[in-house]
């Protein structure tokens, strides 16, 4: 791979020429990379070795009523059924008065891991006497946060093993997700720990297990809105509650239950320029907080209603990172009327619960494939090589055959072209 040495130093155009010259690309493929590079001057500054823009579809989800306020939710996803399911779940909840949410706190956690500690208990006790000084050092490292009424709030010491401790720092990061601000503060604290407290620092970085940044959403559905085909609303509610119980009992089911929740949350996280890996890792760590991986949401029958609840860590931002850089993020914030990180937290918790309701509703009534595959048919037909104008008629003839596989899609396309 010598020909690609210092690829990052080359101009965008030179990189594509180099790929072509080395037979990595045919001319059609090079042309596609060039055509798709719609924002090359900006994105070349965001990632290393940039070659093109990989775009994902964006759509809007409707019917969200959250704390008596209506929201239109921009969602970015490649999965065909996500947006329709989100709107369906939200519409059911809207009929029942909407979501209510609760913000618990909004602090980001970071860790300085200290190794080779002789007496962990003694070292922690000593560190505690240094907390006021260390908090001041953390704040000095990012003073603008204090001006915004944020900043370092507290420290705690946790003994991880006989010789390893974690010094945890909690910071109010205001409207940002805060990873970089936190890391700057932690490194300043780590430096002092090494220089004057003589601790041996292994590493310092934020924790994505954002237990101090939790948000909950709740909804309460009367049975009658859940009726489906030959099932009464009460029967559907009972089945949803039981499916939720299974997700508490069985990690195999819980992982899929939570994937459905994250289908919606990730789509909003991406549309709002946030870090979906951070939200994913935090959500799954939180799902395993009891020692067993469980569903993030619960549904139960209470006082004649189906009551759904979700709590997730939601360290999101409305400024910072790529949020101010990617032009579409500002448009999406405007579409959704989201003005603060707290508001975005409430929205993503509600979206997660709506998405989960739609998935469970489909699963316990007509099965997931009915709605899902109807939307997947379009993707199947496109993958079979259909041109855009051929998609709808071929989907229609495929639907009539009742078949849902790639071979049948190809055959339907061939028949259409005859
Ligand atoms: P930034 O580093 O961009 O910091 C936030 C910026 O927003 C600061 O420049 C701050 O200005 C500015 N700002 C303006 N108004 C406000 C306000 N009201 N409240 C807070 N800040 C404000 O972003 P983050 O620190 O949020 O870091 C997020 C990025 O870090 C993401 O891209 C993420 O992917 C990445 N990251 C994630 C990691 C992880 O999850 N493990 C690890 C490392 C990075 P000022 O400087 O004046 O305070």
């Amino acid at each position: 791979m010598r020909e690609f040495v210092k690829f990052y130093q080359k101009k965008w155009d030179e990189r594509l020429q180099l790929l072509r010259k080395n037979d990595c690309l045919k001319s059609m493929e090079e042309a596609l990379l060039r055509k798709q590079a719609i924002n090359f001057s900006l994105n070349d500054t965001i990632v290393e070795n940039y070659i093109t823009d990989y775009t994902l579809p964006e759509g809007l989800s409707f019917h969200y009523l959250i704390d008596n306020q209506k929201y239109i939710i921009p969602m970015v996803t490649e999965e065909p059924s996500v947006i329709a399911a989100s709107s369906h779940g939200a519409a059911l909840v809207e009929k029942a008065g909407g979501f209510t949410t609760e913000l618990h706190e909004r602090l980001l956690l970071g860790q300085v891991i200290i190794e080779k500690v002789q007496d962990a208990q003694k070292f922690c006790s000593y560190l505690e006497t240094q907390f006021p000084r260390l908090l001041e050092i953390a704040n000095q490292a990012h003073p603008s946060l204090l001006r915004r009424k944020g900043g370092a709030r507290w420290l705690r010491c946790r003994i991880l093993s006989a010789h390893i401790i974690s010094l945890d720092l909690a910071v109010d990061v205001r409207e940002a997700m805060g990873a970089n601000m936190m890391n700057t503060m932690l490194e300043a604290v780590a430096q002092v720990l090494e220089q004057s407290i003589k601790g041996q620092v292994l590493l310092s970085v934020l924790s994505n297990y954002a237990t101090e940044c939790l948000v909950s959403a709740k909804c309460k559905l009367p049975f009658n809105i859940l009726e489906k085909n030959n099932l009464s609303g009460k029967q559907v509610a009972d089945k949803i509650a039981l499916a939720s119980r299974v997700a508490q009992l069985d990690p195999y089911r819980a992982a899929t239950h939570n994937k459905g929740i994250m289908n919606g949350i990730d789509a909003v996280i991406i549309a709002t320029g946030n870090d979906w890996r951070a939200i994913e890792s935090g959500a799954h760590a939180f799902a395993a907080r009891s020692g067993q991986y469980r569903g993030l949401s619960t549904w139960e029958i209470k006082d004649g209603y189906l009551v759904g609840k979700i709590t997730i860590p939601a360290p999101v931002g409305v400024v910072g990172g790529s949020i101010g850089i990617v032009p579409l993020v500002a448009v999406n914030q405007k579409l959704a009327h989201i003005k603060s990180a707290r508001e975005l937290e409430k929205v993503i918790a509600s979206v997660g619960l709506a998405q989960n309701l739609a998935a469970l509703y489909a699963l316990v009534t007509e099965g997931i494939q009915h709605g899902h595959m109807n939307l997947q048919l379009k993707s199947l037909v496109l993958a079979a090589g259909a041109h855009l104008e051929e998609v709808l008629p071929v989907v229609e003839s495929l639907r009539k055959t009742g078949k849902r596989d790639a071979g049948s899609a190809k055959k339907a396309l061939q028949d259409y072209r005859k």
Side-chain angles (χ1 to χ4, degrees):
M1 289 284 174
R2 285 190 57 79
E3 54 280 22
F4 298 124
V5 168
K6 303 225 166 122
F7 195 73
Y8 67 96
Q9 285 182 352
K10 302 202 185 303
K11 293 205 165 70
W12 169 66
D13 188 58
E14 289 168 348
R15 287 183 205 142
L16 293 183
Q17 282 178 30
L18 192 65
L19 287 169
R20 188 69 212 289
K21 213 170 95 191
N22 285 282
D23 286 333
C24 300
L25 296 172
K26 296 201 169 73
S27 69
M28 290 270 285
E29 291 156 348
E30 183 191 346
L32 182 64
L33 291 185
R34 287 182 185 277
K35 189 172 152 212
Q36 290 286 113
I38 47 180
N39 220 343
F40 68 87
S41 49
L42 171 65
N43 289 343
D44 196 15
T45 63
I46 296 183
V47 300
E48 195 99 318
N49 295 337
Y50 169 86
I51 55 168
T52 193
D53 292 338
Y54 185 102
T55 60
L56 290 171
E58 174 172 333
L60 295 177
S61 185
F62 293 99
H63 302 296
Y64 276 92
L65 181 62
I66 304 170
D67 298 329
N68 293 321
Q69 194 170 324
K70 290 188 173 185
Y71 286 90
I72 295 174
I73 314 282
M75 299 179 98
V76 173
T77 179
E78 90 299 346
E79 192 172 341
S81 52
V82 167
I83 298 176
S86 163
S87 297
H88 179 224
L92 287 171
V93 178
E94 187 186 33
K95 281 188 206 156
F99 297 93
T100 50
T101 67
E102 190 188 345
L103 282 170
H104 301 265
E105 217 172 353
R106 197 179 142 74
L107 296 176
L108 191 66
L109 282 183
Q111 301 181 275
V112 181
I113 304 290
I114 306 161
E115 60 167 335
K116 297 187 183 150
V117 180
Q118 290 305 316
D119 180 336
Q121 197 61 61
K122 206 166 149 195
F123 194 75
C124 272
S125 301
Y126 173 66
L127 267 187
E128 279 165 17
T129 67
Q130 301 298 307
F131 280 179
R133 176 181 166 215
L134 294 174
L135 282 174
E136 211 177 304
I137 282 155
N139 278 325
Q140 279 165 9
H142 204 102
S144 54
L145 259 186
L146 280 184
R147 287 199 294 277
R148 296 195 170 96
K149 301 194 170 58
R153 289 287 181 258
W154 49 257
L155 285 154
R156 74 178 173 205
C157 197
R158 285 181 305 123
I159 298 172
L160 305 185
S161 79
H163 304 293
I164 305 173
I165 63 173
S166 174
L167 176 66
D168 298 345
L169 171 67
V171 177
D172 180 343
V173 288
R174 307 311 289 170
E175 297 301 328
M177 179 263 192
N180 287 320
M181 301 195 282
M182 168 64 89
N183 290 343
T184 307
M185 291 167 122
L186 289 170
E187 284 183 9
V189 169
Q191 201 177 11
V192 171
L193 275 172
E194 288 204 301
Q195 283 170 359
S196 67
I197 303 179
K198 306 292 174 216
Q200 194 152 331
V201 173
L202 175 68
L203 61 89
S204 40
V205 72
L206 89 152
S207 169
N208 289 110
Y209 187 25
T211 53
E212 313 305 309
C213 187
L214 299 180
V215 60
S216 301
K218 192 176 160 186
C219 61
K220 196 174 154 191
L221 309 175
F223 298 146
N224 64 311
I225 63 171
L226 297 168
E227 276 171 25
K228 180 86 183 176
N229 302 336
N230 53 349
L231 290 170
S232 73
K234 171 77 167 71
Q235 284 173 316
V236 174
D238 283 339
K239 282 171 181 281
I240 290 176
L242 190 55
S244 150
R245 169 121 179 83
V246 174
Q248 295 301 308
L249 293 172
D250 177 25
Y252 285 89
R253 175 63 207 133
T256 322
H257 182 96
N258 291 343
K259 192 276 180 179
I261 290 171
M262 300 313 289
N263 271 343
I265 292 179
D266 281 348
V268 183
I269 291 294
I270 298 171
T272 55
N274 276 278
D275 182 337
W276 73 93
R277 289 86 55 208
I279 297 298
E280 279 279 343
S281 63
H284 296 296
F286 192 67
R289 67 192 178 284
S290 67
Q292 183 188 317
Y293 186 88
R294 298 178 196 277
L296 285 162
S297 67
T298 56
W299 295 89
E300 56 181 351
I301 306 293
K302 217 171 174 185
D303 305 328
Y305 289 88
L306 175 68
V307 178
K309 286 185 200 157
I310 188 170
T311 298
I312 46 160
V316 288
V318 291
V319 295
S322 67
I323 293 167
I325 304 170
V326 176
L328 263 184
V329 171
V331 177
N332 289 341
Q333 284 180 345
K334 193 173 165 193
L335 276 170
H337 288 286
I338 289 172
K339 291 172 214 74
S340 69
R342 285 167 187 268
E343 200 175 4
L344 180 54
E345 282 192 40
K346 293 175 182 188
V347 164
I348 64 164
S350 305
V351 168
L353 196 56
Q355 203 80 41
N356 182 231
L357 173 62
L360 293 178
Y361 188 73
L363 281 169
V364 302
T365 56
E366 59 199 1
I368 203 78
Q369 287 306 73
H370 182 77
H372 200 72
M373 278 316 283
N374 274 340
L375 289 159
Q376 292 280 15
L377 283 184
K378 283 189 194 166
S379 306
L380 211 54
V381 167
L382 277 170
H387 299 302
L388 286 179
E389 66 282 4
E390 296 172 319
V391 172
L392 286 181
V394 178
V395 162
E396 216 28 64
S397 59
L398 190 59
R399 200 193 305 277
K400 282 182 193 146
T401 66
K403 293 185 176 151
R404 302 280 187 265
D405 59 286
S408 305
K410 273 202 174 121
K411 169 133 190 351
L413 180 60
Q414 282 161 4
D415 290 348
Y416 177 76
R417 285 177 178 172
K418 272 180 193 163

